[in-house]
């Protein structure tokens, strides 16, 4: 799993330029927030912004060698650097995901994007910068989708703290297939606080995108979506590759894990029962490392691990597995429609081979960052979102997606802090059989990072819940949170920086495409 240098792509000339706001947002969580109590205002190092990065990026068909025999046809982001550091744009060799964009907090990014799919596949598309705090026009809302042959310009400053973010399409009803066939990339942000932590870097800082796929006898991707349960593939790919083997030195590594699957949840554990040391979640570094026997990673979520291989000798091998679990949900449907590995099936994700001695011991810092968390008692309003079924469709408070609709209870005030409760309770046992409260829902909010402040599970669901709940990592900033059947999850969120219309939705892409998505509007 190697990183190459610059990718290639045709120069894209035409681009439409939507309005760019005159004022950028104030600092995000982890920085100084105007008007916040002194105890909530950590002092972060000042990072001098790097030179702006300008790239051309297009969607295009491609072919990659994943299995022995014929190459697999995929969709790809292809591009090149127009201005700025050419090393900020990296590609994965012999793989379809990517590129990887490496940026600094405060850096300006301009992307000239073109939908260059051939006529036979010319679906409308957008780019959603998952986890980033950007203006409404830059967020990839389906209202801004462009058709085949059209262009769009994304232009914003990276305001988030250091962390592992990603980007993918977000057209209504088409996100699932577009991500499935290959359109996804990583955006890794650095800042001075992250650098000061002294974590592994360079070749010892590895991004790992985990996805499941199904192939036909000619090595071509098969996508058979099930709107009730989601799509579950038969084979596990890491960074778009099969037979996933990672060769490492006997020393610490920083592993950045993204669950890039459409619907599959992973219960990640080492096969020798070593604990996993988590150093970051969706929105960057934790305050201090935490240890888990296993990690529960839902679609869209990221975790970063401190993986110390210094205790192993060259020649030893370690395996990262996804352990068996149960959600009491629609495994039957996933087996019948989405492949032979239902959600919760045990599987192997990655083999790690220690093939050489490592450098001198590198200690893990006992304290990693000052996340700048908010106090729950500062919340001004509470909202409840019921995750249930409405006329055989997953819904949010009984509603499904309407492109330009914002209900009165979906309007929030700029600068306000609220608690949102996601309640996955509807449907009873019949609902569980049909995919109601029996389905897990990874809930994602655009435009913000939030804190998970409470979880409760109802009676009758504890047994299944216990097969996954010890793997939650709620100690850091999040933009996606898994809500299991029978569970209530409360988050604390502050709506700051930009007004506009954004999305909240289930990040099971088949649920999202079938309507489990709504707008919310941030008003001044």
């Amino acid at each position: 799993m190697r990183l190459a240098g610059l990718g290639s792509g045709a120069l894209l000339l035409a681009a439409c330029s939507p309005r760019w706001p005159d004022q950028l947002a104030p600092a995000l969580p982890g920085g100084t927030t105007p008007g916040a109590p002194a105890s909530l205002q950590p002092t972060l190092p000042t990072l001098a912004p790097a030179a702006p990065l300008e790239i051309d990026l297009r969607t295009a068909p491609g072919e990659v060698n994943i299995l022995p025999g014929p190459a697999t046809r995929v969709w790809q982001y292809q591009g090149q650097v127009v201005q700025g550091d050419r090393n900020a744009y990296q590609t994965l060799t012999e793989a379809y995901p990517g590129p990887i964009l490496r940026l600094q907090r405060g850096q300006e990014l301009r992307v000239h994007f073109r939908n260059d799919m051939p006529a036979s596949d010319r679906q409308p598309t957008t780019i959603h910068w998952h986890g980033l705090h950007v203006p409404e026009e830059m967020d990839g809302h389906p209202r801004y989708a462009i058709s085949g042959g059209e262009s769009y310009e994304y232009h914003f400053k990276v305001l988030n703290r250091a962390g592992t973010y990603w980007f993918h399409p977000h057209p209504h009803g088409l996100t699932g297939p577009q991500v499935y066939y290959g359109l996804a990339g990583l955006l890794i942000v650095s800042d001075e606080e992250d650098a000061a932590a002294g974590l592994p870097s360079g070749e010892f800082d590895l991004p790992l995108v985990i996805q499941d796929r199904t192939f036909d006898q000619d090595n071509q991707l098969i996508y058979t979506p099930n709107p009730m349960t989601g799509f579950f593939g038969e084979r596990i790919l890491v960074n778009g590759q099969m037979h996933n083997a990672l060769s490492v030195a006997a020393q610490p590594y920083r592993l950045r894990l993204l669950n890039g699957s459409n619907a599959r949840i992973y219960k990640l554990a080492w096969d020798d029962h070593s604990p996993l040391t988590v150093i970051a979640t969706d929105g960057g570094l934790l305050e201090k490392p935490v240890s888990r026997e296993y990690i529960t990673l839902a679609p869209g979520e990221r975790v970063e691990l401190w993986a110390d291989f210094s205790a192993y000798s060259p020649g030893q091998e370690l395996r990262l597995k996804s352990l068996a679990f149960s959600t009491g949900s629609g495994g039957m449907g996933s087996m019948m429609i989405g492949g032979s590995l239902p959600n919760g099936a045990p599987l192997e994700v990655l083999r790690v081979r220690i093939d050489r001695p490592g450098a001198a011991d590198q200690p893990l810092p006992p304290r990693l960052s000052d996340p700048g968390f908010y106090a729950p008692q500062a919340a001004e309003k509470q909202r409840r979102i019921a995750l249930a079924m409405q006329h055989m469709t997953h819904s949010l408070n009984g509603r499904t997606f309407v492109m330009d609709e914002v209900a009165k209870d979906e309007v929030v005030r700029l600068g306000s802090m609220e608690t949102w409760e996601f309640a996955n309770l509807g449907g009873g046992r019949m609902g569980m059989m049909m995919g109601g409260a029996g389905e897990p829902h990874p809930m994602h909010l655009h435009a913000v990072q939030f804190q998970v402040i409470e979880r409760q599970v109802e009676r009758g669901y504890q047994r299944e819940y216990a097969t996954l709940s010890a793997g939650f990592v709620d100690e850091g900033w999040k933009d996606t949170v898994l809500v299991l059947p029978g569970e209530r999850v409360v988050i604390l969120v502050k709506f700051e920086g930009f007004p506009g219309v954004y999305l909240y939705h289930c990040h099971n892409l088949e649920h999202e495409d079938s309507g489990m998505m709504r707008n919310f509007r941030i008003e001044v």
Side-chain angles (χ1 to χ4, degrees), residues 384 387-388 421 423-428 437 456 458 461 484-488:
R384 185 178 187 273
L387 318 180
E421 178 187 273
N424 189 6
L425 308 177
Q456 293 184 3
E458 299 289 298
Y461 295 91
L484 290 176
E487 187 179 23
R488 303 171 188 263

Side-chain angles (χ1 to χ4, degrees), residues 207-235:
L208 301 172
V209 181
I210 306 171
Q211 297 172 312
D212 56 338
R213 298 291 185 262
T214 294
F215 299 85
D216 67 15
Q217 60 184 4
D218 296 319
N219 293 348
Q220 302 312 307
L221 290 167
I222 299 174
Y223 179 61
T224 49
N226 181 342
M228 291 293 105
T229 60
F231 179 88
F232 303 106
E234 296 176 342
R235 298 173 184 260

